[in-house]
Each structure stands twice: as C-alpha cells, then as structure tokens.
Amino acid sequence: MKNIFFITLMISALFFMQSCSTEEDSTATTTSQTMTDSTGASVSLDGTYLIDCAASGSAYVKYEVVLSGTTFTFTEAAFSDDTCATGTYSFIAAWTFTVGSATTTSGSDNSSKNDLAVTKIDYALQSASMTILSDTLATSFNSSSVYGFTDWANGTAKSVLGLNGDGTTDNTSFVGAVSYDIWYINGTSFQYGGGSADTSSTYPTELDYSYVYTKQ
C-alpha cells in the first residue's frame, strides 16, 4: 500500500503542491471481506474511509479509501483552498487485496500497548492515474515533464502506472506488483502500517498515525 505514498512523496519533492483524487473501481458482486477489530469482533471491511481536507504543505488534501469486496481504491485529491473547494489535481490507484493472519505491533508505533492486534494484508496493484484540474498546473507539469509527459491537459487523466515522477520506469509499480501491509480497525477509525515495508516480503510492525481514516 505504501506505493501510493511513495508516488505522493515523489510528486511533492518535485512540486510545491501535493495530492490527488480518485474514482471508485467497480467490482462485481464480490463477497465482503472481514477482519478482526480492536475488540476482537469480526467486522466487514466494505465501506468508504476518509481523511477530510487536511493541510499538506502549501496545499490542502482529502484522502479516501474505498473497500469493496477484494478491491482497494485510494484517492488523494489536492485543493488550493482550506475549504477544499477548488481542486488542483487528483491521483487514483487501485489494488486487489487479500486478508491474511492476525499479527501484533512492535510497541514503537505510539500505541499504548505492544500487543495491538492488527491484520496482515497483501495487495496486487491494478492501476494508477493522475488528472490535472488547473491550466496553470498543467503548464507547470508540462514544463517539468512530470512522469515524462509534456502534454498534460486540464481535466484529462493520464495513466502513471509503472512510472517514476521523472518518467523513468518504476520497477515496483506495475500491474500485479504485490505489496505487504497491516490494517487496524478501532470503531470507525481505520489505519494501515507505517515503516519501510512495501514490495519486500516483510510486513510493517507498527501503524502509521499520520493517516487515521474515519468510516463514513
């Protein structure tokens, strides 16, 4: 899952605005997946989870995770104003995921106990695209050849699957690329893993407290 944030960080390193948005990837009638929450109960994962209009550098962002069946869709939408009314560009990525076994955190992740129950998750990347929502930003992206493109246009999505921010090949971002993560659900709160684990076979051992989503 952290592929998403590697892409985001790459963009923010190149530019002063950061973020992205997305549309849900439709799935057929796939059975809702379940995992164990903080109380030990089995809960359905289907739903929309949101971080609403947060400051991020010189921009404002909304992060959205949509879980439906075995599909995980991430949206990062960037805005130029603190009410998140004027979009600048959006990024969307989708994976299929598999729920694995329960595990525990290391205790170094700001949790109050070192036996916080989390669940291992495997992801297989399916798509990644970006849409510019500003003529000015499109001009800026074109002059900097973001993702190797010089024909960015307001309102037109481009696939950035398999690309680094400078247009070179990203060997960890292709259809079917597998990543490893952990999830934690506490009431309406949803978190995933922190740390450096990604496309290695190692799962994170702590949660990322920078990104706490609320189920809608």
Side-chain angles (χ1 to χ4, degrees):
M1 149 141 224
K2 274 168 256 1
N3 279 337
I4 305 166
F5 297 106
F6 291 158
I7 294 171
T8 300
L9 290 173
M10 189 183 313
I11 295 169
S12 63
L14 292 171
F15 312 100
F16 50 89
M17 286 189 197
Q18 185 178 356
S19 345
C20 312
S21 139
T22 149
E23 58 191 67
E24 293 185 21
D25 206 355
S26 60
T27 53
T29 55
T30 307
T31 304
S32 171
Q33 303 302 295
T34 61
M35 64 170 273
T36 302
D37 69 4
S38 61
T39 69
S42 179
V43 294
S44 169
L45 289 172
D46 279 3
T48 298
Y49 305 81
L50 186 68
I51 295 176
D52 193 25
C53 204
S56 178
S58 60
Y60 295 87
V61 295
K62 288 184 179 181
Y63 297 114
E64 181 184 76
V65 165
V66 176
L67 302 179
S68 177
T70 58
T71 299
F72 175 109
T73 305
F74 171 82
T75 298
E76 184 184 312
F79 303 85
S80 59
D81 61 300
D82 60 5
T83 62
C84 288
T86 304
T88 55
Y89 63 86
S90 65
F91 172 81
I92 176 175
W95 292 258
T96 55
F97 70 91
T98 302
V99 179
S101 59
T103 186
T104 57
T105 63
S106 64
S108 61
D109 62 356
N110 298 321
S111 61
S112 60
K113 53 186 179 180
N114 62 9
D115 60 348
L116 190 62
V118 294
T119 298
K120 294 178 179 178
I121 301 290
D122 294 359
Y123 302 86
L125 182 63
Q126 302 301 313
S127 64
S129 63
M130 177 170 282
T131 303
I132 302 303
L133 302 172
S134 157
D135 289 332
T136 300
L137 194 58
T139 299
S140 174
F141 270 44
N142 287 331
S143 65
S144 300
S145 300
V146 178
Y147 285 110
F149 298 117
T150 57
D151 59 346
W152 291 98
N154 185 358
T156 301
K158 281 187 172 295
S159 173
V160 297
L161 188 68
L163 297 174
N164 290 312
D166 61 359
T168 56
T169 301
D170 181 352
N171 293 321
T172 66
S173 175
F174 54 87
V175 172
V178 177
S179 299
Y180 302 89
D181 205 358
I182 55 175
W183 287 357
Y184 175 64
I185 292 178
N186 181 11
T188 60
S189 295
F190 170 82
Q191 290 171 259
Y192 39 70
S196 59
D198 184 36
T199 51
S200 69
S201 59
T202 304
Y203 294 90
T205 59
E206 56 187 57
L207 296 174
D208 189 338
Y209 281 79
S210 300
Y211 300 94
V212 180
Y213 292 77
T214 301
K215 189 170 185 178
Q216 303 303 292

